[in-house]
Amino acid sequence: MKTVLITGVSSGIGQALAKKFLAENFAVIGTSLTGKVDFDDKNLTIYQLDLTSTDSMNEFHKHVFKKCEADKTPIDILINNAGVMFDDDETHVYVETLRKTLEVNLLGAVGTTEFLIPCMSTNGHVIFISSAAGSLADTGSIEKSRKPYHYPAYKISKCALNMYMRTLALRFKHEGPINNKNGDYITASCINPGWVKTAIGGDDADLTPEQAAENIYKLAITRPETGQFWWNGEKYPW
């Protein structure tokens, strides 16, 4: 049985992803702010994780390391899904809002990934849930963007997340063959999930969390070209 770790599974895309992977016979390690979710499965393990708290992150990482060692199973897929938007209606950058946003959307994802790399399969897949808002091409187009200059802190955080993924992919591809005899390396991907009916996307969005989860699942279980930004099976413009 393969293992997937997904952050932020209490609602929205994260919950839909957890249920999809469980239905496909994966062992799922999930996180939530409270350490609880409103669904259950024999193959589901939930840990408390606050991406803004160093203590919470350290405790979570210790639990995951112990579980992987005890079960003798690596993490095959890591999905950094947890995210926040604090400035939906803002058109200006406020430093405190930006700092809070980066703490979760960028630093939380980076910290989780860096700590868990040693737990991963040598041919695993790390996925970051990005956004069309992180695309310089899309964000700069008034005709294409729903709110071209709104929620700047959120957009900055997703654009930075894309760059982290790119550097990580290059590192994996260079270091992987050096550090294991099979020449394997971990694939890294960002994905634009689309405009989804979540707390961030709102009720007018185009997709349900289940539809978004289906597209993310398809990418997660494959080995696409590493270091790319994806949407619905196609490369998305940076």
Side-chain angles (χ1 to χ4, degrees):
M1 179 180 287
K2 290 190 173 183
T3 299
V4 59
L5 192 152
I6 309 166
T7 61
V9 301
S10 61
S11 63
I13 295 173
Q15 184 175 113
L17 276 170
K19 290 180 177 179
K20 173 63 179 176
F21 276 97
L22 288 168
E24 298 293 340
N25 201 35
F26 275 74
V28 175
I29 301 171
T31 77
S32 73
L33 275 171
T34 63
K36 299 177 182 178
V37 293
D38 62 2
F39 62 103
D40 194 17
D41 189 279
K42 62 184 173 69
N43 293 323
L44 175 66
T45 304
I46 298 294
Y47 293 118
Q48 190 275 335
L49 177 61
D50 179 352
L51 293 175
T52 67
S53 166
T54 301
D55 289 343
S56 176
M57 290 184 74
N58 287 339
E59 196 65 24
F60 166 68
H61 297 143
K62 283 193 289 186
H63 284 308
V64 174
F65 268 84
K66 286 181 181 178
K67 178 173 176 56
C68 289
E69 287 178 359
D71 295 348
K72 295 184 173 19
T73 56
I75 296 167
D76 297 287
I77 301 169
L78 168 61
I79 303 180
N80 288 282
N81 165 73
V84 294
M85 179 191 282
F86 297 123
D87 62 339
D88 187 20
D89 294 319
E90 292 292 348
T91 58
H92 293 73
V93 178
Y94 296 96
V95 172
E96 283 305 314
T97 301
L98 177 59
R99 184 177 286 113
K100 288 195 304 179
T101 304
L102 291 173
E103 190 72 36
V104 176
N105 292 0
L106 177 64
L107 299 179
V110 172
T112 299
T113 301
E114 294 292 339
F115 270 101
L116 294 180
I117 287 169
C119 288
M120 293 200 66
S121 167
T122 56
N123 62 350
H125 196 173
V126 178
I127 294 178
F128 301 90
I129 306 301
S130 185
S131 169
S135 164
L136 295 174
D138 257 10
T139 303
S141 170
I142 292 177
E143 290 76 20
K144 291 175 70 177
S145 180
R146 186 167 56 95
K147 288 184 174 182
Y149 53 93
H150 289 70
Y151 45 89
Y154 181 79
K155 289 174 177 173
I156 291 167
S157 73
K158 292 300 185 179
C159 188
L161 186 66
N162 287 354
M163 178 54 78
Y164 170 63
M165 182 280 297
R166 286 285 284 177
T167 64
L168 188 66
L170 292 170
R171 188 173 108 208
F172 284 154
K173 197 167 185 180
H174 173 73
E175 294 179 353
I178 296 173
N179 295 330
N180 68 81
K181 62 183 179 181
N182 296 323
D184 293 333
Y185 61 87
I186 299 169
T187 300
S189 305
C190 275
I191 187 167
N192 164 23
W195 188 18
V196 187
K197 298 180 193 295
T198 63
I200 290 177
D203 293 335
D204 294 330
D206 299 327
L207 300 173
T208 65
E210 290 72 24
Q211 288 170 318
E214 187 68 36
N215 286 331
I216 297 165
Y217 173 80
K218 288 176 182 176
L219 178 71
I221 63 171
T222 62
R223 191 169 176 82
E225 180 184 351
T226 193
Q228 302 303 313
F229 189 14
W230 301 96
W231 153 242
N232 203 22
E234 303 288 337
K235 290 181 183 178
Y236 198 72
W238 296 104

